[in-house]
Amino acid sequence: GRGILEHRAMGLPALLAGTASEGNLPKMDVIRNLANLLAGAEPTPLPLETLSRLANVVSYTFAYENENRLLIALWKDGFATEEIEPGIPLTLTLPNSLAMFNISDVSDLSIIGYDVLHNFQQSMDAHVDGNSIVIPGLQVRDYPLVLLLSRK
């Protein structure tokens, strides 16, 4: 999952070999989930600020052409483990982002968090700080958490 996002963030195709015939293994869920989320999204570098005890957070941003939608992927860099971990809390700030969505309040914004490994999604809370959108309480693990922000 991390490799797919890194390649797409560089504007490169994410080519996969030897996975199509392996049935419904967990990695196929990750590939399918990321393919659905990234369909139509283009890499768009945007400033992000993170507040966490993690020093090694990787993040990439993508936008959808002609739409007020933004995709943010983030994870803890380093070796991935097979153990289930609760994640490390992180607060994400998108500086000066209200104008990007042409909104004045986060009630006009939908934020959905996607766990691409375990195949579930959840609405995320956010608040405004000046002109910035702040998303607190994210649990960051060693695999991608993907946030989809869109204007309602």
Side-chain angles (χ1 to χ4, degrees), residues 49-54 57 88-93 135-138:
E49 297 172 4
T50 58
L51 177 61
S52 175
R53 68 175 199 244
L54 278 175
V57 177
I88 308 294
L90 181 138
T91 297
L92 180 67
T93 301
I135 308 169
L138 300 174

Side-chain angles (χ1 to χ4, degrees), residues 43-78:
T44 307
L46 294 171
L48 301 175
E49 297 172 4
T50 58
L51 177 61
S52 175
R53 68 175 199 244
L54 278 175
N56 55 345
V57 177
V58 174
S59 63
Y60 294 104
T61 53
F62 302 84
Y64 298 84
E65 188 176 342
N66 300 324
E67 297 182 42
N68 285 330
R69 294 194 311 160
L70 177 68
L71 197 69
I72 302 170
L74 53 136
W75 62 87
K76 177 178 76 170
D77 199 17

Side-chain angles (χ1 to χ4, degrees), residues 15-55:
L15 303 174
L16 305 166
T19 57
S21 63
E22 294 181 17
N24 198 23
L25 297 174
K27 67 181 170 183
M28 293 304 297
D29 288 336
V30 174
I31 294 166
R32 186 174 23 261
N33 292 334
L34 286 174
N36 287 333
L37 286 168
L38 288 167
E42 292 297 327
T44 307
L46 294 171
L48 301 175
E49 297 172 4
T50 58
L51 177 61
S52 175
R53 68 175 199 244
L54 278 175

